[in-house]
Coordinates of all heavy atoms in Angstrom, one line a residue:
Y705 N -100.8 -25.7 -120.7 CA -100.2 -26.8 -120.0 C -101.3 -27.4 -119.1 O -102.2 -26.8 -118.7 CB -99.0 -26.4 -119.3 CG -99.2 -25.6 -118.0 CD1 -98.9 -26.1 -116.7 CD2 -99.7 -24.4 -118.0 CE1 -99.2 -25.4 -115.6 CE2 -100.0 -23.6 -116.9 CZ -99.8 -24.2 -115.8 OH -100.0 -23.5 -114.5
D706 N -101.0 -28.7 -118.5 CA -101.9 -29.3 -117.6 C -101.4 -29.2 -116.2 O -100.4 -29.7 -115.8 CB -102.1 -30.8 -118.1 CG -103.0 -31.5 -117.2 OD1 -103.7 -30.8 -116.3 OD2 -103.3 -32.7 -117.5
D707 N -102.1 -28.3 -115.4 CA -101.6 -28.2 -113.9 C -102.4 -29.1 -113.1 O -102.3 -29.2 -111.9 CB -101.9 -26.8 -113.5 CG -103.4 -26.3 -113.7 OD1 -104.3 -27.3 -113.9 OD2 -103.8 -25.2 -113.4
G708 N -103.1 -30.2 -113.7 CA -103.6 -31.3 -112.9 C -105.1 -31.0 -112.3 O -105.6 -31.9 -111.6
Y709 N -105.6 -29.8 -112.5 CA -106.9 -29.4 -112.0 C -107.9 -30.0 -112.9 O -107.8 -30.0 -114.1 CB -107.1 -28.0 -111.8 CG -106.5 -27.5 -110.6 CD1 -105.3 -26.8 -110.5 CD2 -107.2 -27.8 -109.3 CE1 -104.7 -26.4 -109.3 CE2 -106.8 -27.3 -108.1 CZ -105.5 -26.7 -108.1 OH -104.9 -26.2 -106.9
Q710 N -108.9 -30.6 -112.3 CA -110.1 -31.1 -113.1 C -111.4 -30.6 -112.3 O -111.3 -30.2 -111.3 CB -110.0 -32.7 -113.2 CG -108.9 -33.1 -114.1 CD -108.7 -34.6 -114.1 OE1 -108.7 -35.2 -113.1 NE2 -108.7 -35.1 -115.2
W711 N -112.5 -30.8 -113.2 CA -113.8 -30.4 -112.6 C -114.7 -31.6 -112.2 O -114.6 -32.7 -112.9 CB -114.5 -29.6 -113.6 CG -113.8 -28.2 -113.5 CD1 -112.8 -27.8 -114.3 CD2 -114.3 -27.1 -112.8 NE1 -112.5 -26.4 -114.0 CE2 -113.3 -26.0 -113.1 CE3 -115.3 -26.8 -111.7 CZ2 -113.4 -24.8 -112.4 CZ3 -115.4 -25.5 -111.2 CH2 -114.5 -24.5 -111.5
F712 N -115.4 -31.5 -111.1 CA -116.2 -32.6 -110.5 C -117.6 -32.0 -110.2 O -117.8 -30.9 -109.9 CB -115.5 -33.1 -109.2 CG -114.2 -33.6 -109.4 CD1 -113.1 -32.7 -109.5 CD2 -113.9 -34.9 -109.7 CE1 -111.8 -33.2 -109.6 CE2 -112.6 -35.4 -109.9 CZ -111.6 -34.5 -109.9
Y713 N -118.6 -33.0 -110.4 CA -119.9 -32.7 -109.9 C -120.4 -33.6 -108.9 O -119.9 -34.7 -108.7 CB -120.9 -32.6 -111.1 CG -121.1 -33.9 -111.8 CD1 -122.1 -34.9 -111.5 CD2 -120.1 -34.3 -112.9 CE1 -122.2 -36.0 -112.2 CE2 -120.2 -35.5 -113.5 CZ -121.3 -36.4 -113.2 OH -121.4 -37.6 -113.8
E714 N -121.3 -33.2 -108.1 CA -121.7 -33.8 -106.9 C -122.6 -35.1 -107.2 O -123.5 -35.1 -108.0 CB -122.6 -32.9 -106.1 CG -123.3 -33.3 -105.0 CD -124.4 -32.2 -104.5 OE1 -124.6 -31.2 -105.2 OE2 -124.8 -32.5 -103.5
G715 N -122.2 -36.2 -106.5 CA -123.1 -37.4 -106.6 C -123.6 -37.5 -105.1 O -123.4 -36.6 -104.2
R716 N -124.3 -38.7 -104.8 CA -124.9 -38.8 -103.4 C -123.7 -39.0 -102.4 O -123.9 -38.5 -101.3 CB -125.8 -39.9 -103.4 CG -127.1 -39.7 -103.9 CD -128.0 -40.9 -104.1 NE -127.4 -41.8 -105.1 CZ -128.0 -43.0 -105.4 NH1 -129.0 -43.5 -104.8 NH2 -127.3 -43.8 -106.2
N717 N -122.6 -39.8 -102.8 CA -121.7 -40.2 -101.8 C -120.3 -39.7 -102.1 O -119.3 -40.3 -101.8 CB -121.6 -41.6 -101.6 CG -122.9 -42.1 -101.0 OD1 -123.4 -41.7 -99.9 ND2 -123.6 -43.1 -101.7
G718 N -120.2 -38.7 -102.9 CA -118.9 -38.1 -103.4 C -119.0 -37.3 -104.7 O -120.0 -36.7 -104.9
W719 N -118.0 -37.4 -105.3 CA -117.8 -36.6 -106.6 C -117.5 -37.3 -107.8 O -116.7 -38.3 -107.8 CB -116.6 -35.5 -106.3 CG -116.9 -34.6 -105.2 CD1 -116.7 -34.8 -103.9 CD2 -117.6 -33.3 -105.2 NE1 -117.1 -33.7 -103.1 CE2 -117.7 -32.9 -104.0 CE3 -118.1 -32.6 -106.3 CZ2 -118.3 -31.6 -103.7 CZ3 -118.7 -31.4 -106.0 CH2 -118.8 -31.0 -104.7
W720 N -118.2 -37.0 -108.9 CA -117.9 -37.6 -110.2 C -117.0 -36.6 -111.1 O -117.4 -35.4 -111.1 CB -119.3 -37.7 -111.0 CG -120.1 -38.8 -110.4 CD1 -121.2 -38.6 -109.5 CD2 -120.1 -40.2 -110.6 NE1 -121.8 -39.8 -109.2 CE2 -121.1 -40.9 -109.8 CE3 -119.2 -41.0 -111.4 CZ2 -121.4 -42.2 -109.8 CZ3 -119.5 -42.4 -111.3 CH2 -120.6 -43.0 -110.5
R721 N -116.1 -37.2 -111.7 CA -115.3 -36.3 -112.6 C -116.2 -36.0 -113.9 O -116.8 -37.0 -114.4 CB -114.0 -37.0 -113.1 CG -112.9 -36.1 -113.5 CD -111.6 -36.9 -113.9 NE -111.3 -37.9 -112.9 CZ -111.3 -39.3 -113.2 NH1 -111.4 -39.6 -114.4 NH2 -111.0 -40.0 -112.2
Y722 N -116.1 -35.0 -114.3 CA -116.8 -34.5 -115.7 C -115.9 -35.3 -116.7 O -114.8 -35.7 -116.6 CB -116.7 -33.1 -116.0 CG -117.7 -32.2 -115.3 CD1 -117.6 -31.7 -114.0 CD2 -118.9 -32.0 -116.0 CE1 -118.4 -30.9 -113.5 CE2 -119.9 -31.1 -115.5 CZ -119.7 -30.6 -114.3 OH -120.6 -29.7 -113.6
D723 N -116.7 -35.7 -117.8 CA -116.0 -36.1 -119.0 C -114.9 -35.2 -119.4 O -115.0 -33.9 -119.2 CB -116.9 -36.4 -120.1 CG -117.5 -35.1 -120.7 OD1 -116.8 -34.6 -121.6 OD2 -118.5 -34.7 -120.2
P724 N -113.7 -35.7 -120.0 CA -112.7 -34.8 -120.2 C -113.0 -33.6 -121.0 O -112.4 -32.4 -120.8 CB -111.6 -35.6 -120.9 CG -112.0 -37.1 -120.6 CD -113.5 -37.0 -120.3
R725 N -113.8 -33.7 -122.1 CA -114.1 -32.5 -122.9 C -114.8 -31.4 -122.1 O -114.5 -30.2 -122.2 CB -115.0 -33.0 -124.1 CG -115.1 -32.0 -125.3 CD -116.3 -31.1 -125.2 NE -117.6 -31.8 -125.1 CZ -118.7 -31.2 -124.7 NH1 -118.8 -29.9 -124.4 NH2 -119.8 -31.9 -124.7
T726 N -115.8 -31.8 -121.2 CA -116.6 -30.9 -120.5 C -115.7 -30.2 -119.4 O -115.7 -29.0 -119.2 CB -117.8 -31.5 -119.8 OG1 -118.6 -32.1 -120.9 CG2 -118.7 -30.5 -119.1
S727 N -114.9 -31.1 -118.8 CA -113.9 -30.5 -117.8 C -113.1 -29.4 -118.3 O -112.8 -28.5 -117.8 CB -113.0 -31.7 -117.2 OG -112.3 -31.3 -116.1
E728 N -112.5 -29.8 -119.5 CA -111.6 -28.7 -120.2 C -112.4 -27.5 -120.6 O -111.9 -26.4 -120.4 CB -111.0 -29.4 -121.5 CG -109.7 -29.0 -121.8 CD -109.2 -29.7 -123.1 OE1 -108.9 -31.0 -122.9 OE2 -109.1 -29.2 -124.1
D729 N -113.6 -27.7 -121.0 CA -114.4 -26.5 -121.3 C -114.7 -25.6 -120.2 O -114.5 -24.4 -120.2 CB -115.8 -26.9 -121.9 CG -115.7 -27.4 -123.4 OD1 -114.6 -27.4 -124.0 OD2 -116.7 -27.9 -123.9
I730 N -115.0 -26.3 -119.0 CA -115.2 -25.5 -117.8 C -114.0 -24.9 -117.3 O -113.9 -23.6 -117.1 CB -115.7 -26.4 -116.6 CG1 -117.1 -27.1 -117.0 CG2 -115.9 -25.7 -115.3 CD1 -117.5 -28.2 -116.0
E731 N -112.9 -25.5 -117.4 CA -111.5 -24.9 -117.0 C -111.3 -23.7 -117.9 O -110.8 -22.6 -117.4 CB -110.5 -26.0 -117.1 CG -109.0 -25.5 -116.6 CD -109.0 -25.2 -115.2 OE1 -109.9 -25.6 -114.4 OE2 -107.9 -24.8 -114.8
N732 N -111.5 -23.8 -119.1 CA -111.2 -22.6 -120.0 C -112.2 -21.5 -119.7 O -111.5 -20.3 -119.6 CB -111.5 -23.0 -121.5 CG -110.3 -23.9 -122.0 OD1 -109.2 -24.0 -121.4 ND2 -110.7 -24.8 -123.0
V733 N -113.4 -21.6 -119.4 CA -114.3 -20.6 -119.0 C -113.9 -20.0 -117.6 O -113.9 -18.8 -117.4 CB -115.7 -21.1 -119.0 CG1 -116.6 -20.2 -118.4 CG2 -116.2 -21.5 -120.4
Y734 N -113.5 -20.9 -116.8 CA -113.0 -20.5 -115.4 C -111.8 -19.5 -115.6 O -111.8 -18.5 -114.9 CB -112.6 -21.7 -114.6 CG -111.9 -21.5 -113.4 CD1 -112.6 -21.1 -112.2 CD2 -110.5 -21.6 -113.3 CE1 -111.9 -21.1 -111.0 CE2 -109.8 -21.5 -112.1 CZ -110.5 -21.1 -111.0 OH -109.8 -20.9 -109.8
K735 N -111.0 -19.8 -116.5 CA -109.7 -19.1 -116.7 C -110.0 -17.7 -117.3 O -109.3 -16.7 -117.1 CB -108.6 -19.8 -117.3 CG -108.0 -20.9 -116.5 CD -106.8 -21.6 -117.0 CE -106.2 -22.5 -115.9 NZ -105.5 -23.7 -116.5
L736 N -111.0 -17.7 -118.1 CA -111.5 -16.4 -118.7 C -112.3 -15.6 -117.7 O -112.8 -14.5 -118.0 CB -112.5 -16.7 -119.9 CG -111.7 -17.3 -121.1 CD1 -112.7 -17.8 -122.2 CD2 -110.7 -16.4 -121.7
K737 N -112.6 -16.1 -116.5 CA -113.3 -15.4 -115.5 C -114.8 -15.1 -115.9 O -115.4 -14.2 -115.4 CB -112.6 -14.1 -115.0 CG -111.1 -14.3 -114.7 CD -110.7 -13.5 -113.4 CE -109.3 -13.6 -113.0 NZ -109.0 -14.9 -112.4
K738 N -115.2 -15.9 -116.8 CA -116.7 -15.9 -117.1 C -117.4 -16.6 -116.0 O -116.9 -17.5 -115.4 CB -117.0 -16.6 -118.4 CG -117.1 -15.6 -119.6 CD -117.6 -16.4 -120.8 CE -119.1 -16.7 -120.8 NZ -119.6 -17.4 -122.0
T739 N -118.6 -16.3 -115.8 CA -119.3 -16.8 -114.6 C -120.3 -18.0 -115.0 O -120.5 -18.9 -114.4 CB -120.0 -15.8 -113.8 OG1 -120.9 -15.0 -114.7 CG2 -119.0 -15.0 -113.1
V740 N -121.0 -17.7 -116.1 CA -122.1 -18.7 -116.5 C -121.9 -19.2 -117.9 O -121.8 -18.2 -118.8 CB -123.5 -18.1 -116.3 CG1 -124.6 -19.1 -116.5 CG2 -123.6 -17.7 -114.9
F741 N -122.1 -20.4 -118.2 CA -122.3 -20.7 -119.7 C -123.0 -22.0 -119.8 O -123.3 -22.6 -118.8 CB -120.9 -20.9 -120.2 CG -120.1 -22.2 -120.0 CD1 -119.9 -23.2 -120.9 CD2 -119.6 -22.4 -118.6 CE1 -119.3 -24.4 -120.5 CE2 -118.9 -23.6 -118.3 CZ -118.7 -24.6 -119.3
E742 N -123.3 -22.4 -121.0 CA -124.2 -23.5 -121.3 C -123.4 -24.5 -122.0 O -122.6 -24.3 -122.8 CB -125.4 -23.1 -122.0 CG -126.3 -22.3 -121.3 CD -127.6 -21.9 -122.1 OE1 -128.0 -22.5 -123.0 OE2 -128.1 -20.8 -121.7
T743 N -123.7 -25.9 -121.7 CA -123.0 -26.9 -122.5 C -124.0 -28.1 -122.5 O -124.8 -28.2 -121.7 CB -121.7 -27.3 -121.7 OG1 -120.9 -28.2 -122.6 CG2 -121.9 -27.9 -120.4
I744 N -123.7 -28.9 -123.6 CA -124.5 -30.2 -123.7 C -123.9 -31.3 -123.1 O -122.8 -31.6 -123.5 CB -124.9 -30.3 -125.1 CG1 -125.8 -29.1 -125.6 CG2 -125.6 -31.6 -125.5 CD1 -126.1 -29.1 -127.1
I745 N -124.5 -32.0 -122.2 CA -124.1 -33.3 -121.6 C -125.0 -34.3 -121.8 O -126.1 -34.2 -121.4 CB -123.8 -33.0 -120.1 CG1 -122.7 -31.9 -119.9 CG2 -123.2 -34.3 -119.5 CD1 -122.6 -31.4 -118.4
C746 N -124.5 -35.3 -122.6 CA -125.4 -36.6 -122.8 C -126.7 -36.0 -123.5 O -127.8 -36.5 -123.2 CB -125.7 -37.3 -121.6 SG -124.3 -38.0 -120.8
G747 N -126.6 -35.0 -124.4 CA -127.7 -34.5 -125.2 C -128.7 -33.6 -124.4 O -129.7 -33.2 -125.0
I748 N -128.2 -33.3 -123.1 CA -129.0 -32.3 -122.4 C -128.4 -31.1 -122.2 O -127.2 -31.0 -121.8 CB -129.4 -33.0 -121.0 CG1 -130.0 -34.4 -121.3 CG2 -130.3 -32.1 -120.1 CD1 -131.3 -34.8 -120.5
N749 N -129.1 -29.9 -122.3 CA -128.5 -28.6 -122.1 C -128.4 -28.3 -120.5 O -129.3 -28.2 -119.9 CB -129.3 -27.6 -122.9 CG -128.5 -26.3 -123.1 OD1 -129.1 -25.3 -123.5 ND2 -127.2 -26.4 -123.0
Y750 N -127.1 -28.0 -120.1 CA -126.9 -27.8 -118.7 C -126.2 -26.4 -118.6 O -125.5 -26.0 -119.5 CB -125.9 -28.7 -118.1 CG -126.5 -30.1 -117.7 CD1 -126.5 -31.0 -118.6 CD2 -127.0 -30.3 -116.4 CE1 -127.1 -32.4 -118.2 CE2 -127.5 -31.5 -115.9 CZ -127.5 -32.5 -116.9 OH -128.2 -33.7 -116.5
V751 N -126.7 -25.7 -117.6 CA -126.1 -24.4 -117.2 C -125.0 -24.7 -116.2 O -125.2 -25.5 -115.2 CB -127.1 -23.5 -116.6 CG1 -126.4 -22.2 -116.1 CG2 -128.2 -23.2 -117.6
I752 N -123.8 -24.3 -116.4 CA -122.7 -24.3 -115.5 C -122.5 -22.9 -114.9 O -122.1 -21.9 -115.7 CB -121.4 -24.7 -116.2 CG1 -121.6 -26.0 -117.0 CG2 -120.2 -24.9 -115.1 CD1 -121.5 -27.3 -116.4
D753 N -122.6 -22.8 -113.6 CA -122.6 -21.4 -113.0 C -121.4 -21.4 -112.1 O -121.4 -22.0 -111.0 CB -123.9 -21.3 -112.2 CG -123.9 -20.0 -111.4 OD1 -122.9 -19.4 -111.2 OD2 -125.0 -19.6 -110.9
L754 N -120.4 -20.8 -112.6 CA -119.2 -20.8 -111.9 C -119.0 -19.7 -110.7 O -118.0 -19.6 -109.9 CB -117.9 -20.6 -112.8 CG -117.7 -21.6 -113.9 CD1 -116.8 -21.3 -114.8 CD2 -117.4 -22.9 -113.1
E755 N -120.0 -18.9 -110.6 CA -120.1 -18.0 -109.5 C -120.6 -18.7 -108.2 O -120.0 -18.6 -107.2 CB -120.9 -16.8 -110.0 CG -120.9 -15.7 -108.9 CD -121.5 -14.3 -109.4 OE1 -122.3 -14.3 -110.3 OE2 -120.9 -13.4 -109.0
N756 N -121.6 -19.4 -108.5 CA -122.3 -20.1 -107.3 C -121.8 -21.6 -107.3 O -122.2 -22.4 -106.3 CB -123.7 -20.2 -107.5 CG -124.3 -18.8 -107.4 OD1 -124.1 -18.0 -106.4 ND2 -124.9 -18.3 -108.5
L757 N -120.9 -22.0 -108.2 CA -120.4 -23.4 -108.2 C -121.5 -24.5 -108.3 O -121.5 -25.3 -107.4 CB -119.4 -23.6 -107.1 CG -118.0 -22.8 -107.3 CD1 -117.1 -23.0 -106.1 CD2 -117.4 -23.3 -108.7
V758 N -122.5 -24.3 -109.3 CA -123.5 -25.3 -109.4 C -123.7 -25.6 -110.9 O -123.3 -24.7 -111.7 CB -124.8 -25.0 -108.8 CG1 -124.7 -24.8 -107.3 CG2 -125.3 -23.5 -109.3
Q759 N -124.3 -26.7 -111.2 CA -124.7 -27.0 -112.6 C -126.2 -27.4 -112.4 O -126.7 -27.8 -111.3 CB -124.0 -28.2 -113.2 CG -124.1 -29.5 -112.5 CD -124.0 -30.8 -113.3 OE1 -123.1 -30.9 -113.9 NE2 -125.0 -31.6 -113.4
Y760 N -126.9 -27.1 -113.5 CA -128.3 -27.7 -113.4 C -128.8 -27.7 -114.9 O -128.3 -27.0 -115.7 CB -129.3 -26.7 -112.7 CG -129.2 -25.3 -113.0 CD1 -130.0 -24.8 -114.0 CD2 -128.3 -24.5 -112.4 CE1 -130.0 -23.4 -114.3 CE2 -128.2 -23.1 -112.7 CZ -129.1 -22.5 -113.7 OH -129.0 -21.2 -114.0
P761 N -129.8 -28.7 -115.1 CA -130.3 -28.7 -116.5 C -131.1 -27.3 -116.8 O -131.7 -26.9 -115.9 CB -131.3 -29.9 -116.4 CG -131.0 -30.6 -115.1 CD -130.4 -29.6 -114.2
K762 N -130.9 -26.8 -118.0 CA -131.5 -25.6 -118.3 C -133.0 -25.5 -118.1 O -133.6 -24.6 -117.7 CB -131.1 -25.2 -119.7 CG -131.5 -23.7 -120.0 CD -131.0 -23.2 -121.3 CE -131.3 -21.7 -121.5 NZ -131.3 -21.2 -122.8
Q763 N -133.6 -26.7 -118.4 CA -135.1 -26.8 -118.3 C -135.5 -27.1 -117.0 O -136.8 -27.2 -116.7 CB -135.5 -27.9 -119.3 CG -135.2 -27.6 -120.8 CD -135.6 -26.3 -121.3 OE1 -136.6 -25.7 -120.8 NE2 -134.8 -25.7 -122.2
N764 N -134.6 -27.4 -116.0 CA -135.0 -27.8 -114.7 C -134.0 -27.3 -113.6 O -133.2 -27.9 -112.9 CB -135.1 -29.3 -114.6 CG -135.9 -29.7 -113.4 OD1 -136.2 -28.9 -112.5 ND2 -136.4 -30.9 -113.4
P765 N -134.1 -25.9 -113.4 CA -133.1 -25.3 -112.5 C -133.2 -25.7 -111.0 O -132.4 -25.5 -110.3 CB -133.5 -23.8 -112.6 CG -134.3 -23.7 -113.8 CD -135.0 -24.9 -114.0
T766 N -134.3 -26.5 -110.7 CA -134.3 -27.0 -109.3 C -133.3 -28.1 -109.1 O -133.0 -28.4 -108.0 CB -135.7 -27.5 -109.0 OG1 -136.0 -28.6 -109.8 CG2 -136.7 -26.4 -109.1
K767 N -132.9 -28.7 -110.2 CA -132.0 -29.9 -110.0 C -130.5 -29.5 -110.0 O -129.7 -29.9 -110.8 CB -132.3 -31.0 -111.2 CG -133.6 -31.3 -111.2 CD -133.7 -32.9 -111.5 CE -135.0 -33.5 -111.1 NZ -135.2 -34.7 -111.8
K768 N -130.1 -28.7 -109.0 CA -128.8 -28.2 -108.9 C -127.9 -29.2 -108.2 O -128.2 -29.9 -107.3 CB -128.8 -26.9 -108.1 CG -129.4 -25.7 -108.9 CD -129.3 -24.4 -108.1 CE -129.7 -23.2 -108.9 NZ -131.0 -23.2 -109.2
R769 N -126.7 -29.3 -108.8 CA -125.7 -30.1 -108.1 C -124.4 -29.2 -108.0 O -124.1 -28.4 -108.8 CB -125.1 -31.2 -109.1 CG -126.2 -32.3 -109.2 CD -125.7 -33.3 -110.4 NE -126.6 -34.2 -110.8 CZ -126.7 -35.5 -110.2 NH1 -125.8 -35.8 -109.4 NH2 -127.6 -36.2 -110.6
F770 N -123.8 -29.3 -106.8 CA -122.5 -28.6 -106.5 C -121.5 -29.1 -107.5 O -121.4 -30.3 -107.9 CB -122.0 -28.7 -105.1 CG -122.9 -27.8 -104.1 CD1 -123.8 -28.5 -103.2 CD2 -122.8 -26.4 -104.2 CE1 -124.5 -27.7 -102.4 CE2 -123.7 -25.7 -103.4 CZ -124.5 -26.3 -102.5
I771 N -120.6 -28.1 -107.9 CA -119.5 -28.6 -108.7 C -118.2 -28.0 -108.0 O -118.3 -27.2 -107.2 CB -119.5 -28.0 -110.1 CG1 -119.4 -26.5 -110.2 CG2 -120.8 -28.5 -110.8 CD1 -119.3 -26.0 -111.6
K772 N -117.0 -28.6 -108.4 CA -115.9 -28.3 -107.7 C -114.6 -28.4 -108.6 O -114.6 -29.4 -109.4 CB -115.6 -29.4 -106.6 CG -114.6 -29.1 -105.5 CD -114.4 -30.2 -104.6 CE -115.2 -30.3 -103.3 NZ -114.8 -29.2 -102.4
R773 N -113.7 -27.6 -108.5 CA -112.4 -27.7 -109.1 C -111.4 -28.3 -108.1 O -111.2 -27.8 -107.1 CB -111.9 -26.4 -109.6 CG -110.7 -26.2 -110.3 CD -110.4 -24.8 -110.7 NE -109.2 -24.6 -111.6 CZ -107.9 -24.3 -111.2 NH1 -107.7 -24.1 -109.9 NH2 -107.1 -24.2 -112.1
A774 N -110.7 -29.4 -108.5 CA -109.7 -29.9 -107.6 C -108.7 -30.9 -108.4 O -109.0 -31.1 -109.6 CB -110.5 -30.8 -106.7
K775 N -107.8 -31.5 -107.7 CA -107.0 -32.4 -108.2 C -107.5 -33.8 -107.9 O -108.2 -33.8 -106.8 CB -105.6 -32.3 -107.8 CG -105.0 -30.9 -108.2 CD -103.6 -30.7 -107.9 CE -103.0 -29.4 -108.4 NZ -101.5 -29.2 -108.4
N776 N -107.4 -34.7 -108.6 CA -107.9 -36.1 -108.4 C -107.8 -36.6 -107.0 O -108.7 -37.1 -106.4 CB -107.3 -37.1 -109.4 CG -108.2 -37.4 -110.6 OD1 -109.4 -37.7 -110.3 ND2 -107.7 -37.4 -111.8
F777 N -106.6 -36.5 -106.5 CA -106.3 -37.1 -105.2 C -106.8 -36.3 -104.0 O -106.8 -36.8 -102.9 CB -104.8 -37.2 -105.0 CG -104.1 -35.9 -105.1 CD1 -103.9 -35.2 -103.9 CD2 -103.4 -35.5 -106.2 CE1 -103.2 -34.0 -104.0 CE2 -102.7 -34.3 -106.3 CZ -102.6 -33.5 -105.1
E778 N -107.4 -35.1 -104.3 CA -107.9 -34.3 -103.3 C -109.3 -34.8 -102.9 O -109.9 -34.3 -101.9 CB -107.9 -32.8 -103.6 CG -106.5 -32.2 -103.8 CD -106.6 -30.8 -104.2 OE1 -107.5 -30.5 -105.1 OE2 -105.6 -30.1 -103.9
L779 N -110.0 -35.6 -103.6 CA -111.4 -35.9 -103.5 C -111.5 -37.4 -103.4 O -110.7 -38.2 -103.9 CB -112.2 -35.4 -104.6 CG -112.3 -33.9 -104.9 CD1 -113.1 -33.6 -106.1 CD2 -112.9 -33.2 -103.6
N780 N -112.7 -37.9 -102.9 CA -113.2 -39.3 -103.1 C -113.9 -39.3 -104.4 O -115.1 -38.9 -104.5 CB -114.0 -39.7 -102.0 CG -114.6 -41.0 -102.2 OD1 -114.1 -41.8 -102.9 ND2 -115.9 -41.2 -101.8
V781 N -113.2 -39.7 -105.5 CA -113.8 -39.7 -106.8 C -114.6 -41.0 -107.1 O -114.0 -42.1 -106.9 CB -112.7 -39.4 -107.8 CG1 -113.2 -39.5 -109.3 CG2 -111.9 -38.2 -107.6
L782 N -115.9 -40.9 -107.4 CA -116.7 -42.0 -107.7 C -116.4 -42.6 -109.0 O -116.5 -43.8 -109.2 CB -118.2 -41.7 -107.6 CG -118.5 -41.1 -106.2 CD1 -120.0 -40.4 -106.3 CD2 -118.6 -42.1 -105.1
G783 N -116.0 -41.8 -109.9 CA -115.8 -42.3 -111.3 C -115.8 -41.1 -112.3 O -115.8 -40.0 -111.8
E784 N -116.1 -41.4 -113.6 CA -116.1 -40.3 -114.6 C -117.4 -40.3 -115.2 O -117.8 -41.4 -115.9 CB -115.0 -40.5 -115.6 CG -114.9 -39.4 -116.6 CD -113.6 -39.5 -117.4 OE1 -112.5 -39.3 -116.8 OE2 -113.8 -39.7 -118.6
A785 N -118.2 -39.2 -115.2 CA -119.4 -39.1 -115.9 C -120.5 -40.3 -115.7 O -121.0 -40.7 -116.7 CB -119.1 -38.8 -117.4
G786 N -120.4 -40.8 -114.5 CA -121.3 -41.9 -114.2 C -120.7 -43.3 -114.5 O -121.4 -44.2 -114.0
L787 N -119.5 -43.3 -114.9 CA -118.9 -44.6 -115.1 C -117.8 -44.9 -114.0 O -117.0 -44.0 -113.8 CB -118.1 -44.6 -116.5 CG -119.1 -44.6 -117.7 CD1 -118.2 -44.7 -119.0 CD2 -120.1 -45.8 -117.8
K788 N -118.1 -46.0 -113.3 CA -117.1 -46.3 -112.2 C -115.8 -46.9 -112.6 O -115.7 -47.5 -113.7 CB -117.7 -47.3 -111.3 CG -119.0 -46.8 -110.8 CD -119.4 -47.5 -109.5 CE -120.9 -46.9 -109.1 NZ -121.2 -47.1 -107.7
Ligands
V3L761 N1 -122.1 -35.6 -116.5 C1 -122.6 -36.6 -116.7 N2 -123.9 -37.1 -116.4 C2 -124.6 -36.1 -115.6 C3 -124.0 -34.8 -115.3 C4 -122.7 -34.6 -115.7 N3 -122.1 -33.4 -115.6 N4 -124.8 -34.2 -114.6 C5 -125.9 -35.0 -114.4 N5 -125.7 -36.1 -115.0 P1 -129.7 -34.2 -113.1 P2 -124.9 -41.1 -107.4 C6 -125.3 -38.8 -112.0 C7 -126.7 -37.4 -115.0 O1 -128.6 -33.5 -112.3 O2 -125.2 -42.5 -107.2 C8 -124.0 -39.6 -112.0 O3 -123.2 -39.4 -113.1 C9 -126.9 -37.9 -113.6 O4 -125.8 -38.8 -113.4 O5 -131.1 -34.2 -112.4 O6 -125.9 -40.2 -107.0 C10 -124.4 -41.1 -111.8 O7 -124.6 -41.7 -113.2 C11 -128.3 -38.4 -113.7 O8 -128.3 -39.7 -114.1 O9 -129.7 -33.5 -114.5 O10 -123.6 -40.7 -107.1 C12 -125.9 -40.9 -111.3 O11 -126.2 -39.5 -111.1 C13 -128.9 -37.5 -114.7 O12 -127.9 -36.9 -115.5 C14 -126.0 -41.4 -109.9 O13 -124.9 -41.0 -109.1 C15 -129.9 -36.5 -114.1 O14 -129.2 -35.7 -113.3

């Protein structure tokens, strides 16, 4: 069922919602209590680290962004996957 929780990643002035497929993948991994997994976003391999609540491109671990699990209304949402 859908409990309304979604996943967000950090922008400069707020939070972007992940695309629905990636958000669902993260939620499933979160519920399995797994900590780290990899996924492809826009053709780029990202590491999603649910222990430290960050994502980063596998090839560039310095480019970390915070990620967050929340309901839409709890955050200032900038848009979805870069689209306003
Ligand atoms: N989903 C979609 N695009 C992403 C994601 C993701 N999970 N992670 C990174 N990118 P990096 P402001 C973001 C994009 O972290 O003005 C936003 O979606 C990322 O896009 O070095 O700072 C906006 O489109 C960036 O273009 O791998 O809030 C844009 O930044 C690129 O991948 C500006 O947002 C490199 O990010």
Side-chain angles (χ1 to χ4, degrees):
Y705 75 111
D706 182 358
D707 59 8
Y709 278 102
Q710 291 178 305
W711 284 86
F712 301 84
Y713 61 95
E714 175 192 11
R716 278 170 302 179
N717 294 306
W719 297 88
W720 293 97
R721 199 180 320 114
Y722 277 89
D723 69 89
R725 195 267 303 165
T726 305
S727 187
E728 209 175 292
D729 287 351
I730 299 173
E731 183 68 4
N732 289 336
V733 171
Y734 169 82
K735 286 184 170 155
L736 291 171
K737 309 218 181 282
K738 259 190 75 175
T739 52
V740 185
F741 77 109
E742 293 176 24
T743 190
I744 293 174
I745 299 170
C746 299
I748 307 225
N749 201 194
Y750 280 87
V751 175
I752 311 272
D753 177 344
L754 294 175
E755 189 161 30
N756 297 300
L757 289 176
V758 293
Q759 65 153 55
Y760 54 88
K762 192 175 189 193
Q763 303 308 327
N764 200 343
T766 63
K767 299 225 163 153
K768 287 189 173 62
R769 290 174 188 265
F770 286 109
I771 66 174
K772 193 190 262 293
R773 181 178 187 262
K775 300 189 181 185
N776 258 312
F777 61 82
E778 294 174 330
L779 298 178
N780 172 32
V781 181
L782 301 171
E784 183 172 294
L787 296 178
K788 303 204 182 197

